[in-house]
């Protein structure tokens, strides 16, 4: 009986390593590839990074169609002051990521920094407000314009895609549109934007799939139902309606089909949208609503979390998310983080933006209603105060982030160690710094 011979990853031939590296999407993935061992690093030079963005090789991407299909179904298309953006201008698709940044030294004592960034141009990041879709106008005066990511421990917590107007690239899209990208690579060695389909959930609750090569649109109609959120799970896009019913999307035919998975309604419908997210091979649903427990004297506003039971096709409500985890809920994605990465924090907590994490069904066919909504958007973005809260799952209590220094220091302003030149950071080997020269990024302000 023959035995399987174990072969070290470092012994893979160079003719395999080089095409693998070229298929990686961004600089971070390539640098992780080069960090595996000396042989892998020598097989792929830093010149591979020259044509790579940090977050995505295919974004940002400007749609060729003016008044593009990505704008359909939204409330802003009915408003006069937004018509100037729609007539002769396109929409830009951009990649965004949420990073957890920690110092390489004393990282068990110093607070991390959770930062949301958009890559509008290669190597240039625009910083968003914490867990928000709004951009930060100006960075603190002492913040470096160039940030060398090789000097820190950097973990990407989530990646998502956003819409921008071409006429005002630093002006975030006003509506609660959500975009996912699906690729059809067919074993290609080089991938382009033409190989992707953008699946768009409009703020009105309608779904559409847009071929980014032809910009042909397929809209989904399913018995007049409107949807709250979309997510990629097991390589398939799932969507949830406002009653908690789950569906998967079939984009294989000429028409966009929606197939029911969880057919029974979870609740009777709420004023706020639910959120879907995937973690460690499981699908979760999170919603903000009234909570009733034996330990509570009355119902309280809180957050409920459910996990998909794949055998029964039902939602199982969770009594806890675990003392070792923290759940972050943003307008674009949700993710679990380890409690151990956040000094001074306790687990079984949910962090959310009170304004944006669970948006309300505020758009109607009323022009006056839309006008009031966008007046609120302007006022919200002018407000510098964070609207972040930490929900204590067990006690069913919301706590403002500003009320706890261990919480607020993670978000804003950036921690002092980001801009300080400590002796510990200077101990980094010059060889390591040279190898990671391509990881320097520029932080740009909204007005740049």
């Amino acid at each position: 009986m023959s035995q399987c011979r174990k072969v070290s990853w470092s012994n893979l031939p160079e003719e395999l390593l080089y095409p693998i590296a070229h298929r990686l999407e961004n600089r971070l993935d390539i640098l992780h590839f080069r960090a595996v061992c000396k042989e892998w690093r020598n097989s792929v030079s830093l010149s591979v990074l020259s044509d790579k963005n940090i977050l995505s090789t295919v974004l940002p991407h400007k749609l060729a169609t003016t008044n593009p299909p990505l704008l359909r179904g939204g409330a802003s298309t009915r408003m006069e002051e937004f018509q100037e953006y729609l007539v002769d201008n396109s929409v830009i698709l951009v990649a965004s990521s949420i990073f957890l940044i920690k110092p390489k030294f004393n990282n068990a004592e110093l607070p991390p920094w959770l930062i949301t960034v958009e890559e509008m141009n290669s190597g240039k990041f625009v910083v968003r407000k914490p867990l928000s879709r709004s951009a930060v106008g100006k960075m603190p005066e002492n913040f470096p314009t160039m940030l060398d990511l090789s000097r820190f421990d950097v973990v990407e917590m989530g990646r998502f895609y956003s819409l921008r107007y071409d006429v005002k690239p630093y002006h975030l899209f006003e509506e609660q549109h959500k975009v996912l990208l699906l690729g059809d690579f067919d074993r290609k060695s080089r991938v382009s934007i033409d190989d992707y389909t953008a699946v768009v959930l409009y703020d009105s609750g309608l779904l559409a799939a847009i071929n980014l090569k032809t910009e042909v649109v397929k809209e989904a109609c399913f018995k007049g139902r409107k949807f709250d959120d979309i997510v990629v799970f097991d390589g398939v896009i799932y969507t949830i309606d406002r009653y908690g019913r789950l569906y998967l999307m079939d984009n294989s035919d000429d028409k966009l089909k929606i197939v029911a998975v969880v057919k029974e309604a979870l609740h009777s419908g709420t004023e706020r949208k639910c959120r879907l997210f995937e973690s460690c091979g499981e699908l979760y649903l999170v919603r903000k609503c009234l909570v009733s427990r034996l330990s509570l004297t009355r119902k309280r506003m809180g957050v409920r979390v459910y996990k998909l039971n794949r055998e029964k096709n039902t939602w199982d409500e969770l009594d806890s998310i675990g003392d070792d985890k923290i759940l972050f809920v943003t307008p674009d994605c949700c993710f679990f983080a380890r409690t151990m990465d956040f000094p001074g924090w306790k687990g079984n907590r949910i962090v959310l933006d009170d304004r944006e994490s669970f948006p309300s069904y505020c758009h109607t066919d009323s022009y006056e209603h839309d006008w009031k909504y966008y007046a609120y958007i302007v006022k919200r973005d002018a407000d510098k105060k964070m609207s972040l809260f930490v929900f204590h799952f067990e006690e069913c209590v919301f706590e403002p982030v500003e009320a706890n220094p261990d919480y607020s220091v993670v978000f804003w302003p950036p921690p002092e160690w980001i801009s300080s030149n400590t002796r510990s950071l200077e101990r980094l080997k010059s060889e390591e710094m040279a190898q990671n020269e391509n990881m320097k990024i520029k932080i740009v302000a909204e007005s740049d």
Side-chain angles (χ1 to χ4, degrees):
M1 181 176 180
S2 61
Q3 294 182 347
C4 296
R5 185 169 62 93
K6 294 183 178 180
V7 179
S8 172
W9 284 102
S10 61
N11 292 331
L12 286 178
E14 185 173 344
E15 55 266 26
L16 287 180
L17 294 175
Y18 190 77
I20 291 174
H22 271 274
R23 289 181 68 88
L24 298 177
E25 286 193 356
N26 54 65
R27 298 185 195 180
L28 283 177
D29 291 342
I30 293 176
L31 288 171
H32 290 156
F33 176 94
R34 285 170 47 84
V36 170
C37 62
K38 182 178 179 181
E39 287 74 15
W40 285 35
R41 183 163 56 252
N42 292 337
S43 68
V44 179
S45 67
L46 285 172
S47 61
V48 177
L49 300 175
S50 60
D51 62 342
K52 303 281 188 181
N53 290 350
I54 295 178
L55 300 183
S56 172
T57 56
V58 296
L59 299 179
H61 170 68
K62 177 182 176 182
L63 273 73
T65 309
T66 56
N67 189 10
L70 283 176
L71 294 177
R72 292 184 190 171
S76 71
T77 58
R78 301 189 298 271
M79 300 191 62
E80 294 179 358
E81 55 265 47
F82 292 101
Q83 291 301 319
E84 59 179 298
Y85 301 147
L86 310 181
V87 178
D88 297 315
N89 294 287
S90 296
V91 158
I92 303 174
L93 269 172
V94 297
S96 302
S97 285
I98 300 177
F99 290 114
L100 184 66
I101 303 179
K102 298 183 292 184
K104 283 185 177 289
F105 299 91
N106 299 324
N107 57 15
E109 302 175 4
L110 296 175
W113 186 29
L114 197 65
I115 176 177
T116 306
V117 295
E118 264 183 9
E119 189 172 15
M120 290 296 302
N121 298 290
S122 180
K124 295 182 180 180
F125 279 169
V126 175
V127 180
R128 288 187 177 187
K129 293 181 181 179
L131 307 185
S132 169
R133 288 187 170 186
S134 303
V136 171
K138 292 184 179 180
M139 300 296 293
E141 292 183 0
N142 64 339
F143 194 86
T145 56
M146 298 292 294
L147 190 62
D148 188 352
L149 296 184
S150 67
R151 296 174 58 181
F152 313 107
D153 289 330
V154 182
V155 179
E156 187 179 45
M157 308 301 290
R159 184 181 302 177
F160 51 92
Y161 307 99
S162 308
L163 305 176
R164 294 275 194 174
Y165 287 118
D166 178 37
V167 68
K168 288 189 176 182
Y170 290 101
H171 181 65
L172 274 171
F173 206 79
E174 289 82 6
E175 300 167 359
Q176 292 289 339
H177 286 27
K178 185 170 182 178
V179 182
L180 298 178
L181 293 185
L182 285 182
D184 183 14
F185 309 133
D186 195 25
R187 298 183 180 180
K188 293 183 179 179
S189 58
R190 301 287 292 183
V191 178
S192 70
I193 192 66
D194 293 345
D195 300 311
Y196 286 90
T197 296
V199 179
V200 183
L201 175 63
Y202 300 124
D203 66 324
S204 58
L206 302 178
L207 269 174
I210 301 171
N211 185 307
L212 292 179
K213 179 179 181 180
T214 63
E215 299 191 6
V216 173
V217 183
K218 292 189 289 186
E219 296 183 351
C221 295
F222 187 73
K223 300 178 182 178
R225 296 206 175 140
K226 296 184 178 180
F227 303 98
D228 280 5
D229 203 2
I230 50 176
V231 69
V232 177
F233 179 57
D234 284 348
V236 179
I237 288 188
Y238 283 76
T239 183
I240 191 86
D241 70 12
R242 60 184 57 185
Y243 299 99
R245 291 180 290 234
L246 182 69
Y247 309 85
L248 62 83
M249 193 185 75
D250 184 359
N251 190 34
S252 58
D253 298 329
D254 294 336
K255 294 183 179 180
L256 189 60
K257 298 178 181 179
I258 303 296
V259 181
V261 177
V262 176
K263 299 180 180 180
E264 294 186 8
L266 181 64
H267 51 85
S268 59
T270 64
E271 295 181 356
R272 292 178 176 269
K273 296 182 179 181
C274 302
R275 292 301 191 197
L276 282 176
F277 69 100
E278 182 273 339
S279 180
C280 298
E282 301 287 353
L283 187 62
Y284 295 87
L285 166 67
V286 57
R287 67 189 185 104
K288 186 177 180 181
C289 59
L290 289 174
V291 175
S292 176
R293 295 177 184 165
L294 294 176
S295 59
L296 302 177
T297 57
R298 58 182 177 83
K299 289 185 178 181
R300 292 182 185 174
M301 182 59 66
V303 179
R304 288 180 170 178
V305 182
Y306 305 82
K307 184 168 70 172
L308 177 65
N309 187 322
R310 303 179 74 172
E311 295 181 357
K312 299 180 179 178
N313 286 335
T314 58
W315 291 113
D316 294 340
E317 184 171 3
L318 303 183
D319 297 328
S320 168
I321 62 173
D323 292 334
D324 60 336
K325 292 194 289 291
I326 303 167
L327 174 60
F328 290 83
V329 182
T330 84
D332 299 284
C333 68
C334 306
F335 57 89
F336 284 119
R338 302 184 304 175
T339 307
M340 61 183 296
D341 290 329
F342 294 82
W345 287 55
K346 293 184 178 181
N348 207 20
R349 302 288 190 264
I350 299 176
V351 186
L352 56 98
D353 185 308
D354 188 54
R355 299 163 176 167
E356 299 188 43
S357 294
F358 298 98
S360 61
Y361 301 105
C362 54
H363 289 329
T364 67
D365 293 329
S366 168
Y367 175 88
E368 180 181 0
H369 190 282
D370 290 339
W371 171 255
K372 291 180 179 179
Y373 173 73
Y374 286 108
Y376 157 76
I377 290 290
V378 173
K379 182 179 183 300
R380 180 203 66 189
D381 290 346
D383 184 5
K384 299 300 181 181
K385 186 178 180 181
M386 289 189 292
S387 59
L388 299 181
F389 285 82
V390 176
F391 177 68
H392 299 240
F393 200 97
E394 186 175 353
E395 297 86 356
C396 195
V397 173
F398 289 94
E399 178 184 359
V401 161
E402 288 90 347
N404 190 325
D406 289 332
Y407 295 160
S408 59
V409 72
V410 171
F411 300 103
W412 200 260
E416 294 182 359
W417 55 260
I418 283 286
S419 53
S420 63
N421 293 319
T422 63
R423 292 183 179 180
S424 295
L425 290 176
E426 293 300 327
R427 294 175 188 170
L428 289 175
K429 297 178 181 180
S430 58
E431 178 183 356
E432 179 186 358
M433 298 293 289
Q435 290 175 351
N436 293 286
E437 182 67 22
N438 284 277
M439 280 311 296
K440 289 184 177 180
I441 60 171
K442 183 178 181 181
I443 304 295
V444 297
E446 185 177 355
S447 57
D448 287 356

